[in-house]
Amino acid sequence: MQYYNVHSHTFTMTNAPRRFLHLYLPDFVADAVDKITNTQPGTVTVEFLLSKLGGNGGKRYASFLKIGKSKNQPEVFDALMNSYTDDQTMKFVALTMNMEYCGAGPSTSGFEGQLEEVLNIKRRYPNRLLVFLGVDPRWAAGQRSIKEKVEQYFSTPLKVNDTTSVSPFCGLKIYPSMGYYPFDQRLMETFEWAATHKVPVLSHCYYLGGIYNNDEKYLRENLSAADPYSGTTFNGDYVKERGFWRWLLGTKNSNNNLDSCSYFMEPNSFISMMDHFKAKGTPLKLCLAHFGGGNQMKDRNSSDAPFGAARRNWFLQVKDMLLKYDTLYTDISYALHDQEIFPTVFDELNHPSYGNRIMFGTDFFLTEREQQENKTYSNFKTAAKEKTLSNFDHINAWDQAASKSVAEFLKSDFYDPAS
Amino acid sequence: MNLFNFPVINIALAIIISWALFAIFCSLVYEAFAQLKAERGRFMKKYILLQLQDFPNGVNWGSLLYMHGNVDLLSRAPGKPSSDVQPCLFAETLIDVVATAHLVQVQRLPADLEYATNENVSYVNGTLANFKKATQTLLPSDVMMFLTQALKSAELNSMQTGALDEGVIYKKLVANIENWYTELTQRLSLWYKKKTRKYLFAIGALLAFFVNVDSVQLFGVYRDYPANSQAITSFYNNNADQLQSDSNNLKILLDKFGTLQKETVLPVGYDFSAIHLAMLDKTIPQPQIHAKMYWFWKIIGVLISGFAASFGGPFWFDVLKKIYSKKS
């Protein structure tokens, strides 16, 4: 049986915006960490200091920096493969990300440069690496140009050597919290094309987690937008919360931006688009990654209303949508480091309506700050192998989540899991 | 009248010798620091990434160049890149990086351009053909203009009896890129020198403070105790050649400094430093650190020493050579 990790990253800090660390840390700390971790001794020093001053969390954060800053993409991928010592045939989906427009400055490599780097890995491991192309409505001028770019990237074979060429990409990746709605008109033609060719689309969907747009002015101007699928206007409000400690640490604005970006990526924002493609007869194969977020999974009974238009728990929103759309998938990446969510995940995997659309992924290497990849993988695999799913012919949860569901999701005109 | 009979000249000579010795010491400390940080390679990589950043096309050719096997195999550590990439290797790798980029493969040649390409400059060699395609189809940028110009120049200079020899074009293209790279590395050497001076100044001032290489105090010592200035001058006369030839050998240098310390009574070393004096038992009177203007002159002296260190040992040895050539 062929197993997959449907959610991983190989990008490094050279592919990330120059002010990437400022999204997570107060400015003065980000500047200091950025400078110091430029060298191996510096990283070791920061790791030591964070482990002493910041506990295990601090040490993990340093490990995350160590991978992102001291390695290049091929080395990151090697580190990922080396975490799966018991399965040398495991395939990995690497999600490329266009972070050029998230209000933290341009990257050193450029987005096309990031693609070149990841395709160089694909040349080395054509069968084990499956690449998703990151798309952003600001990538080119106009929806036609974006679609043509995507089409060209997909249809031009990647030359591995003189006798072999492979299809370079097998899916699309979107990251709405970078500052756009999934229903953005500029992405319409691209999604039409994806639906026609059954190309899977994976979207980041983790409540208050991940990368977000850090330009307050941009957010204020773009949170309200026209939804071309429903013909209505979507009204998102800029979130402005006060907090003395946030202000003192210099993270007040970045936290407000993060909160506001919830409007862009909440499951509710995908509904009109999914309805459109369903009604058209060419349903879009979409994965709302992270099942809404581990925090939302745990807080599903809480009365706190999360940020966003629906003001409803994101995990529950995804569940409702899974019932409504047959081509909607989700994955359990990132949250997987937390074994407390395993019982919930296994219950969901056995759900008769959508249990076969929940996929295994880890979100490497962003999870390194929580737990090392080999541990995240082996903990889940061990537990999932022991769990049989009564609603699916007693198949074990591991085979379901890491093989069957993913293979079905990835199948398109550009990738055949059976070949 | 012999100028070298003037005491002030002898004092100046002694000071310059002191600065030369101190500058060598600081250079050694900096060298260790630079090796640890792989400073040269990282400095070069930083500028290559800066120069080959192609914003309009969203790609950094420099970043791809460093990931290419040709360059990556020189160090195999992204954090410690090689500082010694030969011009020919650089040029050939850059051509290969551009020619094999998927970004170039996905570009479609407009029909008329395709016609022109096939009829006028039709390359059989895949690398040249794809490199040409990159210059024709990617968006104009500083980097693409440079590469286009390099190829055009190679084509023009290869015209012989109207036919194009691909081997010659490739060689000339490599040569054109090599020339640019050589020029860049020359500039990089200058920029690196400037950066090194800043570091040497910082290291010099810091070391001068901790081991009390205080130029103002030394001036006073040489002025008040001429025997010291004579001792350091004769030390230089006896060891000048070895000091210059073995300036990278820390052991030899430390031995020499030890000998010098025994021969003279210079207030150099941690025992004489302000920090040591300030930390001494408070019951022992330390009149000098409580003297008026003590800290002012200490800071001035330390900064002058740091400034002297920033010029580097070779500079001061050159000055000494010139002085001695006048003397002889």
Side-chain angles (χ1 to χ4, degrees):
Chain A
M1 204 169 223
Q2 177 62 57
Y3 297 101
Y4 303 84
N5 176 343
V6 80
H7 197 132
S8 69
H9 299 282
T10 56
F11 71 83
T12 65
M13 286 292 175
T14 58
N15 309 126
R18 291 193 182 135
R19 288 173 57 81
F20 182 73
L21 291 178
H22 294 250
L23 297 177
Y24 304 99
L25 298 168
D27 282 357
F28 66 98
V29 182
D31 282 334
V33 169
D34 190 29
K35 277 213 161 68
I36 297 168
T37 52
N38 274 335
T39 60
Q40 199 70 18
T43 310
V44 173
T45 310
V46 168
E47 197 171 345
F48 175 77
L49 287 174
L50 285 175
S51 65
K52 294 288 172 200
L53 303 171
N56 281 335
K59 193 168 185 178
R60 282 193 297 267
Y61 201 83
S63 307
F64 158 75
L65 281 174
K66 193 174 169 182
I67 291 182
K69 288 204 77 165
S70 64
K71 293 181 190 293
N72 55 28
Q73 288 214 58
E75 286 186 327
V76 175
F77 187 66
D78 285 343
L80 173 62
M81 284 196 303
N82 292 338
S83 303
Y84 293 72
T85 45
D86 64 337
D87 187 353
Q88 297 296 319
T89 60
M90 185 94 179
K91 293 188 180 187
F92 302 93
V93 171
L95 305 167
T96 60
M97 280 164 58
N98 191 338
M99 295 174 268
E100 305 296 310
Y101 313 101
C102 73
S107 66
T108 302
S109 71
F111 176 61
E112 277 81 355
Q114 184 194 145
L115 296 181
E116 292 299 330
E117 291 177 13
V118 81
L119 290 177
N120 278 337
I121 314 174
K122 174 85 180 166
R123 284 190 181 101
R124 298 176 200 185
Y125 304 100
N127 297 320
R128 295 195 67 185
L129 178 67
L130 307 169
V131 187
F132 271 42
L133 174 66
V135 286
D136 187 294
R138 296 155 292 186
W139 191 23
Q143 52 175 321
R144 179 64 46 86
S145 304
I146 296 172
K147 183 221 150 192
E148 280 174 357
K149 263 191 165 189
V150 169
E151 211 173 358
Q152 283 174 6
Y153 263 109
F154 268 77
S155 58
T156 308
L158 180 75
K159 199 175 166 188
V160 174
N161 53 35
D162 284 347
T163 56
T164 318
S165 290
V166 293
S167 192
F169 298 98
C170 63
L172 296 174
K173 160 83 178 183
I174 58 170
Y175 212 105
S177 54
M178 301 265 197
Y180 58 89
Y181 285 103
F183 54 70
D184 194 303
Q185 187 159 21
R186 292 166 292 182
L187 292 177
M188 279 180 85
E189 280 198 26
T190 305
F191 288 150
E192 296 273 1
W193 171 86
T196 308
H197 293 280
K198 299 179 185 65
V199 171
V201 179
L202 190 144
S203 174
H204 177 71
C205 186
Y206 197 112
Y207 182 61
L208 298 183
I211 304 162
Y212 56 95
N213 194 298
N214 202 28
D215 183 344
E216 184 182 333
K217 188 169 173 281
Y218 172 89
L219 289 177
R220 285 182 183 279
E221 287 168 0
N222 289 279
L223 275 169
S224 291
D227 179 348
Y229 296 105
S230 66
T232 58
T233 300
F234 197 92
N235 291 313
D237 292 324
Y238 185 77
V239 180
K240 200 166 186 183
E241 288 207 322
R242 293 177 192 281
F244 176 73
W245 288 111
R246 285 177 170 195
W247 171 80
L248 192 70
L249 288 171
T251 58
K252 183 168 72 79
N253 288 343
S254 56
N255 273 299
N256 287 340
N257 293 337
L258 171 64
D259 297 344
S260 303
C261 284
S262 298
Y263 283 98
F264 292 128
M265 66 169 165
E266 77 164 322
N268 181 57
S269 302
F270 293 82
I271 289 175
S272 61
M273 183 175 79
M274 292 302 285
D275 281 339
H276 168 83
F277 286 108
K278 190 179 176 184
K280 211 179 160 196
T282 51
L284 184 67
K285 209 155 43 168
L286 175 76
C287 170
L288 289 177
H290 313 295
F291 221 140
N295 46 9
Q296 292 291 283
M297 220 181 267
K298 283 175 159 179
D299 294 347
R300 58 186 178 276
N301 297 321
S302 163
S303 56
D304 290 346
F307 297 113
R311 307 290 288 171
R312 186 160 175 260
N313 181 286
W314 287 24
F315 171 68
L316 298 177
Q317 284 191 52
V318 175
K319 271 167 64 87
D320 288 351
M321 287 174 71
L322 283 167
L323 285 169
K324 192 175 168 191
Y325 306 107
D326 294 340
T327 54
L328 185 75
Y329 290 72
T330 189
D331 72 41
I332 44 176
S333 58
Y334 199 90
L336 211 56
H337 71 269
D338 183 358
Q339 293 191 49
E340 279 182 37
I341 67 153
F342 283 10
T344 312
V345 168
F346 294 142
D347 283 349
E348 296 299 329
L349 276 167
N350 199 27
H351 194 288
S353 300
Y354 57 74
N356 56 352
R357 282 181 278 130
I358 300 170
M359 302 180 287
F360 165 75
T362 56
D363 209 2
F364 177 83
F365 63 93
L366 301 173
T367 34
E368 288 292 292
R369 61 183 133 171
E370 307 290 352
Q371 184 170 265
Q372 286 191 327
E373 179 73 4
N374 57 357
K375 210 168 174 195
T376 306
Y377 159 64
S378 61
N379 282 351
F380 180 73
K381 184 180 174 181
T382 308
K385 278 201 151 216
E386 286 171 7
K387 185 79 189 172
T388 52
L389 306 174
S390 56
N391 291 324
F392 295 94
D393 296 335
H394 295 281
I395 184 178
N396 72 57
W398 173 247
D399 289 350
Q400 170 103 311
S403 179
K404 287 185 84 174
S405 310
V406 186
E408 198 54 39
F409 176 66
L410 293 175
K411 198 174 171 185
S412 74
D413 291 355
F414 296 91
Y415 180 72
D416 180 8
S419 66
Chain B
M1 185 177 68
N2 188 353
L3 277 175
F4 287 88
N5 290 335
F6 284 103
V8 69
I9 299 292
N10 280 319
I11 293 169
L13 205 58
I15 284 278
I16 291 172
I17 294 168
S18 308
W19 284 345
L21 297 176
F22 182 56
I24 291 178
F25 184 58
C26 291
S27 298
L28 274 172
V29 173
Y30 173 72
E31 201 50 44
F33 169 73
Q35 294 246 346
L36 190 73
K37 280 186 73 185
E39 190 69 9
R40 272 194 196 84
R42 291 195 321 114
F43 182 83
M44 185 165 141
K45 185 176 178 180
K46 182 185 156 188
Y47 277 93
I48 295 279
L49 294 186
L50 207 64
Q51 307 298 358
L52 296 182
Q53 175 115 51
D54 185 351
F55 279 117
N57 292 300
V59 62
N60 192 321
W61 301 108
S63 176
L64 296 176
L65 181 120
Y66 272 95
M67 277 181 61
H68 191 285
N70 284 357
V71 179
D72 187 41
L73 281 175
L74 295 176
S75 77
R76 287 218 131 159
K80 288 187 174 179
S82 170
S83 60
D84 189 22
V85 182
Q86 292 302 307
C88 181
L89 183 75
F90 174 88
E92 288 180 352
T93 309
L94 183 61
I95 293 169
D96 194 51
V97 159
V98 174
T100 55
H102 197 63
L103 174 66
V104 177
Q105 316 303 321
V106 301
Q107 306 296 326
R108 303 276 183 265
L109 281 171
D112 55 338
L113 196 59
E114 212 160 341
Y115 175 78
T117 309
N118 290 336
E119 289 300 307
N120 296 335
V121 187
S122 171
Y123 291 119
V124 177
N125 179 277
T127 303
L128 266 182
N130 281 320
F131 189 85
K132 174 88 178 173
K133 188 182 172 191
T135 62
Q136 289 173 314
T137 56
L138 295 185
L139 294 171
S141 65
D142 289 350
V143 184
M144 287 323 296
M145 276 163 70
F146 153 61
L147 295 176
T148 307
Q149 184 57 35
L151 182 61
K152 272 185 185 169
S153 163
E155 284 171 353
L156 280 171
N157 288 312
S158 312
M159 285 281 191
Q160 281 174 353
T161 64
L164 289 167
D165 182 333
E166 291 191 19
V168 177
I169 291 177
Y170 183 76
K171 272 185 192 161
K172 290 198 184 292
L173 176 64
V174 169
N176 287 341
I177 297 174
E178 267 185 59
N179 287 344
W180 175 83
Y181 177 71
T182 308
E183 251 184 61
L184 177 74
T185 46
Q186 280 166 0
R187 277 158 211 260
L188 281 181
S189 298
L190 281 176
W191 297 337
Y192 187 72
K193 221 171 176 179
K194 272 187 185 175
K195 189 186 174 191
T196 304
R197 283 187 64 175
K198 282 183 197 164
Y199 274 113
L200 278 175
F201 174 76
I203 291 170
L206 212 65
L207 282 177
F209 183 71
F210 282 104
V211 295
N212 199 46
V213 183
D214 174 351
S215 295
V216 174
Q217 195 178 3
L218 281 176
F219 180 82
V221 169
Y222 292 140
R223 183 193 58 200
D224 300 338
Y225 305 98
N228 274 333
S229 66
Q230 275 168 10
I232 199 162
T233 311
S234 61
F235 170 79
Y236 171 73
N237 290 334
N238 296 333
N239 299 289
D241 292 338
Q242 204 180 357
L243 278 171
Q244 286 176 74
S245 59
D246 293 326
S247 63
N248 288 326
N249 192 326
L250 185 63
K251 193 176 177 304
I252 291 178
L253 283 174
L254 287 176
D255 285 347
K256 295 281 173 203
F257 290 154
T259 317
L260 178 65
Q261 187 72 15
K262 278 177 199 164
E263 289 172 8
T264 58
V265 204
L266 293 176
V268 173
Y270 179 70
D271 290 347
F272 300 94
S273 74
I275 197 161
H276 177 70
L277 294 176
M279 282 164 61
L280 276 179
D281 191 346
K282 296 282 185 276
T283 55
I284 304 168
Q286 298 294 332
Q288 64 269 45
I289 66 166
H290 300 298
K292 252 186 187 178
M293 305 293 279
Y294 171 83
W295 288 104
F296 173 76
W297 288 114
K298 180 58 68 186
I299 289 166
I300 295 288
V302 159
L303 288 179
I304 292 173
S305 299
F307 189 65
S310 73
F311 283 90
F315 171 82
W316 294 115
F317 281 116
D318 276 354
V319 172
L320 287 167
K321 258 186 200 164
K322 279 178 190 162
I323 295 172
Y324 275 92
S325 67
K326 299 270 182 205
K327 190 178 180 181
S328 60

